[in-house]
């Protein structure tokens, strides 16, 4: 299992886990996080935006140009922002830590 930790906008820590090969967006959604993922991984929405802990950012495979372009349109982008639908869990990512950007939580539970 690959453990993942999500930090919500309220400062809550949600620990969950997935299998190697799982998509971070799906893992977050399964844990009840407010990640819309409207386009279901087609890189056409940016509603799956997460901010990766800087310690982990460089360990992820690099974002494609299409992902970078889409991130330019996302609200609250930071240097370590990524589209969670483009992150595939691997055993090396055990302990991965990401935050949900504030903009993603409007009108939501978290
Ligand atoms: Fe739309 Fe990730 S789900 S870009």
């Amino acid at each position: 299992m690959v453990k993942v930790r999500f930090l919500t906008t309220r400062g809550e820590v949600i620990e969950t886990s997935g299998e190697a090969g799982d998509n971070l967006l799906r893992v977050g959604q399964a844990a009840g996080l407010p990640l819309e993922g409207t386009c279901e991984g087609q890189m056409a929405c940016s509603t799956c935006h997460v901010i990766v802990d800087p310690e982990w950012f460089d360990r992820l495979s690099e974002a494609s140009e299409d992902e970078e372009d889409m991130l330019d349109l996302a609200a609250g982008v930071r240097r370590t922002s990524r589209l969670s639908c483009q992150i595939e869990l691997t055993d090396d990512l055990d302990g991965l830590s990401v935050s949900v950007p504030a903009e993603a939580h409007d009108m939501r539970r978290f």
Side-chain angles (χ1 to χ4, degrees):
M1 288 302 248
V2 183
K3 286 200 268 334
V4 185
R5 160 198 289 244
F6 286 90
L7 188 67
T8 72
T9 50
R10 281 196 193 162
E12 289 166 310
V13 174
I14 305 219
E15 310 247 12
T16 183
S17 59
E19 307 273 354
D22 279 354
N23 177 288
L24 184 63
L25 171 62
R26 297 268 173 262
V27 171
Q29 286 176 332
L33 283 134
L35 296 167
E36 266 179 50
T38 313
C39 78
E40 302 192 335
Q42 303 302 305
M43 278 198 281
C45 72
S46 82
T47 59
C48 62
H49 168 208
V50 293
I51 298 162
V52 179
D53 183 309
E55 254 188 57
W56 284 95
F57 185 71
D58 292 335
R59 302 198 217 176
L60 302 176
S61 51
E62 276 190 29
S64 65
E65 235 171 81
D66 285 347
E67 181 179 346
E68 297 282 5
D69 287 350
M70 200 39 74
L71 279 169
D72 285 344
L73 306 174
V77 172
R78 308 270 189 88
R79 191 183 62 81
T80 62
S81 287
R82 290 295 304 264
L83 296 178
S84 60
C85 70
Q86 300 303 308
I87 297 176
E88 188 177 289
L89 295 185
T90 62
D91 290 331
D92 290 347
L93 295 181
D94 187 35
L96 176 66
S97 179
V98 303
S99 311
V100 178
E103 288 74 8
H105 97 121
D106 289 351
M107 319 294 290
R108 297 293 191 104
R109 200 154 50 89
F110 284 96

